[in-house]
Amino acid sequence: SAMVFVGREGDLAVQEAIGYLGEGLVLEATRLGLTTCWVGGFFKSSVANAAVGIQAGERAYAVTPVGHAAEHIPQSERLIYGAGRTKPRKSLDEIAPGHEGWPAWAQEGVRAAQVAPSAMHRQPWRFRMDDGELVVGYEGADTPKVSKRLDCGIAMMHVELAARAEGVFGAWDVGLADRDVARFVPDTHDAE
């Protein structure tokens, strides 16, 4: 089984939405004891498109297998896995400069984003506080195959879940200019 993440090309913040909603589904599948893995660049789009009956103007942006991982991995797959070894996580200072002075909900949010998955473990997201709101953007040029905006959407889900665990609820304002992707607007700016 697999999930195919489809969106309308050209829609405002489509890739952020796919990352955000897709990560919610991936986390729920994981909570249920299923194994998943985001695949954005190396899947046969023709197979994914046929599986979901893709419509004109739509695109499969990513997929994830869903099931139970094999207990014993064949030698050939171990070699491939070894080539794609997990890279160390970027420091909080790198992804969120000045985070020490932020409200607790924002600090926990960026800690949660720090462990979020991203294409090729690149962790492109960068955070800053702006008038009590947490802004997420990305570093470096965007890529056409697996957008850094999709990666930011995945991180956004982690931020929001951590903020909720701190008792702070809010909403994402998406479609910001340039490399800024979205801002998390807490229901109250007094949240600490």
Coordinates of all heavy atoms in Angstrom, one line a residue, residues 92-163:
L92 N 20.1 23.9 16.4 CA 19.1 24.9 16.6 C 19.6 26.3 16.2 O 18.8 27.1 15.7 CB 18.5 24.8 18.0 CG 17.7 23.6 18.3 CD1 17.3 23.6 19.8 CD2 16.5 23.5 17.5
D93 N 20.8 26.5 16.6 CA 21.4 27.9 16.2 C 21.4 28.1 14.7 O 21.3 29.2 14.3 CB 22.8 28.0 16.8 CG 22.8 28.1 18.3 OD1 21.8 28.6 18.9 OD2 23.8 27.7 18.9
E94 N 21.6 27.0 14.0 CA 21.6 27.2 12.5 C 20.2 27.4 11.9 O 20.0 28.2 11.0 CB 22.3 26.0 11.9 CG 22.5 26.1 10.4 CD 23.3 25.0 9.8 OE1 23.9 24.2 10.5 OE2 23.4 25.0 8.5
I95 N 19.2 26.6 12.4 CA 17.9 26.7 11.8 C 17.0 27.7 12.5 O 16.0 28.2 11.9 CB 17.2 25.3 11.9 CG1 16.9 24.8 13.3 CG2 17.9 24.2 11.1 CD1 15.9 23.7 13.4
A96 N 17.4 28.2 13.7 CA 16.6 29.2 14.4 C 17.5 30.1 15.2 O 17.5 30.1 16.4 CB 15.6 28.5 15.3
P97 N 18.3 31.0 14.5 CA 19.2 31.9 15.2 C 18.4 32.7 16.2 O 17.4 33.3 15.9 CB 19.8 32.8 14.1 CG 19.6 32.0 12.9 CD 18.3 31.2 13.1
G98 N 19.0 32.8 17.5 CA 18.4 33.6 18.5 C 17.2 32.9 19.2 O 16.5 33.5 20.0
H99 N 17.0 31.6 19.0 CA 15.9 30.9 19.6 C 15.9 30.9 21.1 O 14.8 30.7 21.7 CB 15.9 29.4 19.1 CG 17.1 28.7 19.6 ND1 17.1 27.9 20.7 CD2 18.3 28.5 19.0 CE1 18.3 27.4 20.9 NE2 19.1 27.7 19.8
E100 N 17.0 31.1 21.8 CA 17.0 31.1 23.2 C 16.1 32.1 23.9 O 15.5 31.9 24.9 CB 18.5 31.4 23.8 CG 19.5 30.4 23.3 CD 20.2 30.8 22.0 OE1 19.8 31.8 21.4 OE2 21.1 30.1 21.6
G101 N 15.8 33.2 23.2 CA 15.0 34.3 23.8 C 13.5 34.2 23.3 O 12.7 35.0 23.7
W102 N 13.2 33.1 22.6 CA 11.8 33.0 22.1 C 10.9 32.4 23.2 O 11.3 31.7 24.1 CB 11.8 32.1 20.9 CG 12.6 32.6 19.7 CD1 13.2 33.8 19.6 CD2 12.8 31.9 18.5 NE1 13.8 33.9 18.4 CE2 13.5 32.8 17.7 CE3 12.4 30.7 18.0 CZ2 13.9 32.5 16.4 CZ3 12.7 30.4 16.7 CH2 13.5 31.2 15.9
P103 N 9.6 32.6 23.0 CA 8.6 31.9 23.9 C 8.8 30.4 23.9 O 9.3 29.8 22.9 CB 7.2 32.3 23.3 CG 7.5 33.4 22.4 CD 8.9 33.3 22.0
A104 N 8.4 29.7 25.0 CA 8.6 28.3 25.1 C 8.0 27.5 24.0 O 8.6 26.6 23.4 CB 8.1 27.8 26.4
W105 N 6.8 27.9 23.5 CA 6.1 27.2 22.4 C 6.9 27.3 21.2 O 6.9 26.3 20.4 CB 4.7 27.8 22.2 CG 4.6 29.1 21.7 CD1 4.5 30.3 22.4 CD2 4.7 29.5 20.3 NE1 4.5 31.4 21.5 CE2 4.6 30.9 20.2 CE3 4.8 28.8 19.1 CZ2 4.6 31.7 19.0 CZ3 4.9 29.5 17.9 CH2 4.8 30.9 17.9
A106 N 7.5 28.4 20.9 CA 8.3 28.5 19.6 C 9.6 27.7 19.7 O 10.1 27.1 18.8 CB 8.6 30.0 19.4
Q107 N 10.3 27.7 20.9 CA 11.5 26.9 21.1 C 11.2 25.5 20.9 O 11.9 24.7 20.3 CB 12.1 27.2 22.5 CG 12.7 28.6 22.6 CD 13.4 28.7 24.0 OE1 14.1 27.8 24.4 NE2 13.2 29.8 24.6
E108 N 10.1 25.0 21.5 CA 9.7 23.6 21.4 C 9.3 23.3 19.9 O 9.6 22.2 19.4 CB 8.6 23.2 22.3 CG 9.0 23.2 23.8 CD 10.2 22.3 24.0 OE1 10.2 21.1 23.6 OE2 11.2 22.7 24.7
G109 N 8.7 24.2 19.3 CA 8.3 24.1 17.9 C 9.5 23.9 17.0 O 9.6 22.9 16.1
V110 N 10.6 24.7 17.1 CA 11.8 24.5 16.3 C 12.6 23.2 16.7 O 13.2 22.6 15.8 CB 12.7 25.7 16.2 CG1 11.9 26.9 15.6 CG2 13.2 26.1 17.6
R111 N 12.5 22.8 18.0 CA 13.1 21.6 18.3 C 12.4 20.4 17.6 O 13.1 19.5 17.2 CB 13.1 21.3 19.8 CG 14.1 22.1 20.6 CD 14.2 21.7 22.1 NE 15.0 22.6 22.8 CZ 14.6 23.7 23.4 NH1 13.4 24.0 23.5 NH2 15.5 24.4 24.0
A112 N 11.1 20.5 17.5 CA 10.3 19.4 16.9 C 10.6 19.4 15.4 O 10.8 18.4 14.7 CB 8.9 19.6 17.1
A113 N 10.8 20.6 14.8 CA 11.1 20.7 13.3 C 12.5 20.2 13.1 O 12.7 19.7 12.0 CB 11.0 22.2 12.9
Q114 N 13.4 20.3 14.0 CA 14.7 19.9 13.8 C 14.8 18.4 13.5 O 15.7 18.0 12.8 CB 15.5 20.2 15.1 CG 17.0 19.8 15.0 CD 17.7 20.1 16.4 OE1 17.1 20.0 17.4 NE2 19.0 20.4 16.3
V115 N 13.8 17.6 14.0 CA 13.9 16.1 13.7 C 12.9 15.8 12.6 O 12.7 14.6 12.3 CB 13.6 15.3 15.0 CG1 14.6 15.6 16.0 CG2 12.2 15.6 15.5
A116 N 12.3 16.7 11.9 CA 11.3 16.4 10.8 C 12.1 15.9 9.6 O 13.2 16.3 9.4 CB 10.6 17.7 10.5
P117 N 11.5 15.0 8.8 CA 12.2 14.5 7.6 C 12.2 15.6 6.6 O 11.4 16.5 6.5 CB 11.3 13.4 7.2 CG 9.9 13.7 7.8 CD 10.2 14.4 9.0
S118 N 13.2 15.5 5.7 CA 13.3 16.4 4.5 C 14.0 15.6 3.4 O 14.7 14.7 3.7 CB 14.0 17.7 4.9 OG 15.4 17.4 5.3
A119 N 13.8 16.1 2.2 CA 14.5 15.4 1.0 C 16.0 15.5 1.2 O 16.6 16.5 1.5 CB 14.1 16.1 -0.2
M120 N 16.6 14.3 1.1 CA 18.0 14.1 1.2 C 18.6 14.7 2.5 O 19.7 15.1 2.6 CB 18.7 14.8 0.0 CG 18.3 14.2 -1.3 SD 19.0 15.0 -2.8 CE 18.5 16.7 -2.6
H121 N 17.7 14.7 3.5 CA 18.1 15.2 4.9 C 18.7 16.6 4.8 O 19.5 16.9 5.7 CB 19.1 14.2 5.5 CG 18.6 12.8 5.5 ND1 17.6 12.4 6.3 CD2 19.1 11.7 4.8 CE1 17.4 11.1 6.1 NE2 18.3 10.7 5.2
R122 N 18.2 17.4 3.9 CA 18.8 18.7 3.7 C 18.4 19.8 4.8 O 19.0 20.8 4.9 CB 18.6 19.2 2.3 CG 17.1 19.4 2.0 CD 16.9 19.7 0.6 NE 15.5 19.7 0.2 CZ 15.0 19.8 -1.0 NH1 15.8 20.0 -2.0 NH2 13.7 19.7 -1.2
Q123 N 17.3 19.6 5.4 CA 16.8 20.5 6.5 C 16.9 22.0 6.0 O 17.6 22.7 6.6 CB 17.5 20.3 7.8 CG 17.4 18.9 8.4 CD 18.3 18.8 9.6 OE1 19.4 18.5 9.5 NE2 17.7 19.0 10.8
P124 N 16.2 22.3 5.0 CA 16.3 23.7 4.4 C 15.6 24.8 5.2 O 15.9 26.0 5.0 CB 15.7 23.6 3.0 CG 14.6 22.6 3.3 CD 15.2 21.6 4.2
W125 N 14.8 24.4 6.2 CA 14.0 25.4 6.8 C 14.8 26.3 7.8 O 15.8 25.8 8.4 CB 12.8 24.7 7.6 CG 13.3 23.5 8.4 CD1 13.9 23.5 9.6 CD2 13.1 22.2 8.0 NE1 14.2 22.2 10.0 CE2 13.7 21.4 9.0 CE3 12.5 21.6 6.9 CZ2 13.7 20.0 9.0 CZ3 12.5 20.2 6.9 CH2 13.1 19.4 7.9
R126 N 14.4 27.5 7.9 CA 15.0 28.5 8.8 C 13.8 29.2 9.5 O 12.8 29.6 8.8 CB 15.9 29.5 8.0 CG 17.1 28.9 7.3 CD 18.0 28.2 8.3 NE 19.1 27.5 7.7 CZ 19.1 26.2 7.3 NH1 18.1 25.5 7.5 NH2 20.2 25.7 6.8
F127 N 14.0 29.5 10.7 CA 12.9 30.1 11.5 C 13.4 31.4 12.1 O 14.6 31.6 12.4 CB 12.5 29.2 12.7 CG 11.9 27.9 12.2 CD1 12.7 26.8 12.1 CD2 10.6 27.8 11.9 CE1 12.2 25.6 11.6 CE2 10.0 26.6 11.5 CZ 10.8 25.5 11.3
R128 N 12.5 32.3 12.3 CA 12.7 33.6 13.0 C 11.4 34.0 13.7 O 10.3 33.7 13.2 CB 13.3 34.7 12.1 CG 12.3 35.2 11.1 CD 12.9 36.4 10.3 NE 11.9 37.1 9.6 CZ 11.3 36.8 8.5 NH1 11.7 35.6 7.9 NH2 10.4 37.5 7.9
M129 N 11.5 34.8 14.7 CA 10.3 35.4 15.4 C 10.1 36.8 14.8 O 11.1 37.5 14.6 CB 10.5 35.5 16.9 CG 10.5 34.1 17.6 SD 8.9 33.2 17.5 CE 7.8 34.2 18.4
D130 N 8.9 37.1 14.5 CA 8.5 38.4 14.0 C 7.3 38.9 14.7 O 6.2 38.3 14.4 CB 8.4 38.3 12.5 CG 8.1 39.6 11.8 OD1 8.3 40.7 12.5 OD2 7.7 39.6 10.6
D131 N 7.4 39.8 15.6 CA 6.2 40.3 16.3 C 5.4 39.2 16.9 O 4.1 39.2 16.8 CB 5.4 41.2 15.4 CG 4.4 42.1 16.1 OD1 4.7 42.4 17.3 OD2 3.4 42.5 15.5
G132 N 6.0 38.3 17.6 CA 5.3 37.2 18.3 C 4.8 36.1 17.5 O 4.1 35.2 17.9
E133 N 5.2 36.1 16.2 CA 4.8 35.0 15.2 C 6.0 34.3 14.8 O 7.1 35.0 14.6 CB 4.0 35.6 14.1 CG 2.7 36.4 14.5 CD 2.1 37.1 13.4 OE1 2.7 37.3 12.3 OE2 0.9 37.6 13.6
L134 N 5.9 33.0 14.6 CA 7.1 32.2 14.1 C 7.0 32.1 12.6 O 6.1 31.6 12.0 CB 7.0 30.9 14.7 CG 8.2 30.0 14.4 CD1 9.5 30.5 15.0 CD2 8.0 28.6 15.0
V135 N 8.0 32.6 11.9 CA 8.1 32.6 10.5 C 9.0 31.5 10.0 O 10.1 31.3 10.5 CB 8.6 34.0 9.9 CG1 8.7 33.9 8.4 CG2 7.7 35.1 10.4
V136 N 8.6 30.7 9.1 CA 9.4 29.6 8.5 C 9.7 30.0 7.0 O 8.8 30.4 6.3 CB 8.8 28.2 8.6 CG1 7.4 28.2 7.8 CG2 9.7 27.2 8.1
G137 N 10.9 29.8 6.6 CA 11.4 30.0 5.3 C 12.4 29.0 5.0 O 12.6 28.0 5.7
Y138 N 13.1 29.1 3.8 CA 14.1 28.1 3.5 C 15.4 28.8 3.0 O 15.3 30.0 2.6 CB 13.6 27.1 2.4 CG 13.2 27.7 1.1 CD1 14.1 27.9 0.1 CD2 11.9 28.1 0.9 CE1 13.7 28.4 -1.1 CE2 11.5 28.7 -0.3 CZ 12.4 28.8 -1.3 OH 12.1 29.4 -2.5
E139 N 16.4 28.1 3.1 CA 17.7 28.6 2.7 C 18.1 27.9 1.3 O 17.8 26.8 1.1 CB 18.8 28.2 3.7 CG 20.2 28.7 3.4 CD 21.1 28.2 4.5 OE1 21.5 27.1 4.5 OE2 21.4 29.1 5.4
G140 N 18.8 28.7 0.5 CA 19.3 28.2 -0.8 C 18.2 28.2 -1.9 O 17.0 28.5 -1.6
A141 N 18.6 27.9 -3.1 CA 17.7 27.9 -4.2 C 16.7 26.8 -4.1 O 17.0 25.7 -3.6 CB 18.4 27.8 -5.5
D142 N 15.5 27.0 -4.5 CA 14.5 25.9 -4.5 C 14.8 25.0 -5.6 O 15.5 25.3 -6.6 CB 13.1 26.5 -4.7 CG 12.0 25.6 -4.1 OD1 12.3 24.5 -3.6 OD2 10.8 25.9 -4.3
T143 N 14.3 23.8 -5.5 CA 14.6 22.8 -6.6 C 13.3 22.3 -7.2 O 12.2 22.2 -6.5 CB 15.3 21.6 -5.9 OG1 14.5 21.1 -4.8 CG2 16.7 22.0 -5.4
P144 N 13.2 22.0 -8.5 CA 12.0 21.6 -9.1 C 11.5 20.2 -8.8 O 10.3 20.0 -8.8 CB 12.3 21.7 -10.6 CG 13.8 21.6 -10.7 CD 14.4 22.1 -9.4
K145 N 12.4 19.3 -8.5 CA 12.0 17.9 -8.3 C 11.3 17.7 -7.0 O 10.2 17.2 -6.9 CB 13.2 16.9 -8.5 CG 12.8 15.5 -8.5 CD 12.1 15.1 -9.8 CE 11.9 13.6 -9.9 NZ 11.2 13.2 -11.0
V146 N 12.0 18.1 -5.9 CA 11.4 18.1 -4.6 C 11.6 19.4 -4.0 O 12.7 19.8 -3.5 CB 12.1 17.0 -3.7 CG1 11.4 17.0 -2.3 CG2 12.0 15.6 -4.3
S147 N 10.6 20.2 -3.9 CA 10.7 21.6 -3.5 C 11.0 21.7 -2.0 O 10.5 20.9 -1.2 CB 9.3 22.3 -3.7 OG 9.3 23.5 -3.1
K148 N 11.8 22.7 -1.7 CA 12.1 23.0 -0.3 C 10.9 23.5 0.4 O 10.7 23.4 1.6 CB 13.2 24.0 -0.2 CG 14.6 23.4 -0.6 CD 15.7 24.4 -0.6 CE 17.0 23.8 -1.0 NZ 18.1 24.7 -0.9
R149 N 9.9 24.0 -0.4 CA 8.6 24.5 0.2 C 7.9 23.3 0.8 O 7.2 23.4 1.8 CB 7.8 25.2 -0.8 CG 8.6 26.5 -1.3 CD 7.8 27.2 -2.4 NE 6.9 28.2 -1.8 CZ 7.2 29.4 -1.2 NH1 8.5 29.7 -1.3 NH2 6.3 30.1 -0.7
L150 N 7.9 22.1 0.1 CA 7.3 20.9 0.6 C 8.0 20.5 1.9 O 7.3 20.2 2.9 CB 7.4 19.8 -0.4 CG 6.5 18.5 -0.1 CD1 6.0 17.9 -1.4 CD2 7.3 17.5 0.7
D151 N 9.3 20.5 2.0 CA 10.0 20.3 3.2 C 9.6 21.2 4.3 O 9.4 20.8 5.5 CB 11.5 20.4 3.0 CG 12.1 19.3 2.2 OD1 11.5 18.2 2.1 OD2 13.3 19.5 1.7
C152 N 9.4 22.5 4.0 CA 8.9 23.4 5.0 C 7.5 23.1 5.5 O 7.2 23.2 6.7 CB 8.9 24.9 4.5 SG 10.6 25.5 4.3
G153 N 6.7 22.6 4.7 CA 5.3 22.1 5.1 C 5.4 21.0 6.1 O 4.6 21.0 7.1
I154 N 6.3 20.1 5.9 CA 6.5 19.0 6.8 C 7.0 19.6 8.2 O 6.4 19.2 9.2 CB 7.6 18.0 6.3 CG1 7.0 17.3 5.0 CG2 8.0 17.0 7.3 CD1 8.1 16.4 4.3
A155 N 7.9 20.5 8.1 CA 8.4 21.1 9.4 C 7.3 21.9 10.1 O 7.2 21.9 11.3 CB 9.6 22.0 9.1
M156 N 6.4 22.5 9.3 CA 5.3 23.2 9.9 C 4.4 22.3 10.7 O 3.9 22.8 11.8 CB 4.4 23.9 8.8 CG 5.1 25.1 8.1 SD 4.4 25.6 6.5 CE 2.7 25.8 6.9
M157 N 4.1 21.1 10.3 CA 3.3 20.2 11.1 C 4.0 19.9 12.4 O 3.3 19.9 13.5 CB 3.1 18.9 10.3 CG 2.3 17.8 11.1 SD 0.7 18.3 11.8 CE -0.3 18.2 10.3
H158 N 5.3 19.7 12.4 CA 6.0 19.4 13.7 C 6.0 20.6 14.6 O 5.8 20.5 15.8 CB 7.5 19.0 13.3 CG 7.6 17.7 12.8 ND1 8.1 16.6 13.5 CD2 7.2 17.1 11.6 CE1 8.1 15.5 12.8 NE2 7.5 15.8 11.6
V159 N 6.1 21.8 14.1 CA 6.0 23.1 14.9 C 4.7 23.2 15.5 O 4.6 23.4 16.7 CB 6.3 24.3 14.0 CG1 5.9 25.6 14.7 CG2 7.8 24.4 13.6
E160 N 3.6 23.0 14.7 CA 2.3 23.1 15.3 C 2.0 22.1 16.4 O 1.4 22.5 17.4 CB 1.2 23.1 14.2 CG -0.2 23.4 14.7 CD -1.2 23.5 13.6 OE1 -0.8 23.8 12.4 OE2 -2.4 23.4 13.9
L161 N 2.4 20.9 16.2 CA 2.1 19.9 17.2 C 2.8 20.2 18.5 O 2.3 20.0 19.6 CB 2.5 18.5 16.6 CG 1.6 17.9 15.5 CD1 2.2 16.6 15.0 CD2 0.2 17.7 16.0
A162 N 4.1 20.6 18.4 CA 4.8 21.0 19.6 C 4.2 22.2 20.3 O 4.2 22.3 21.5 CB 6.3 21.3 19.2
A163 N 3.8 23.2 19.5 CA 3.1 24.4 20.1 C 1.9 24.0 20.8 O 1.6 24.4 21.9 CB 2.8 25.4 19.0

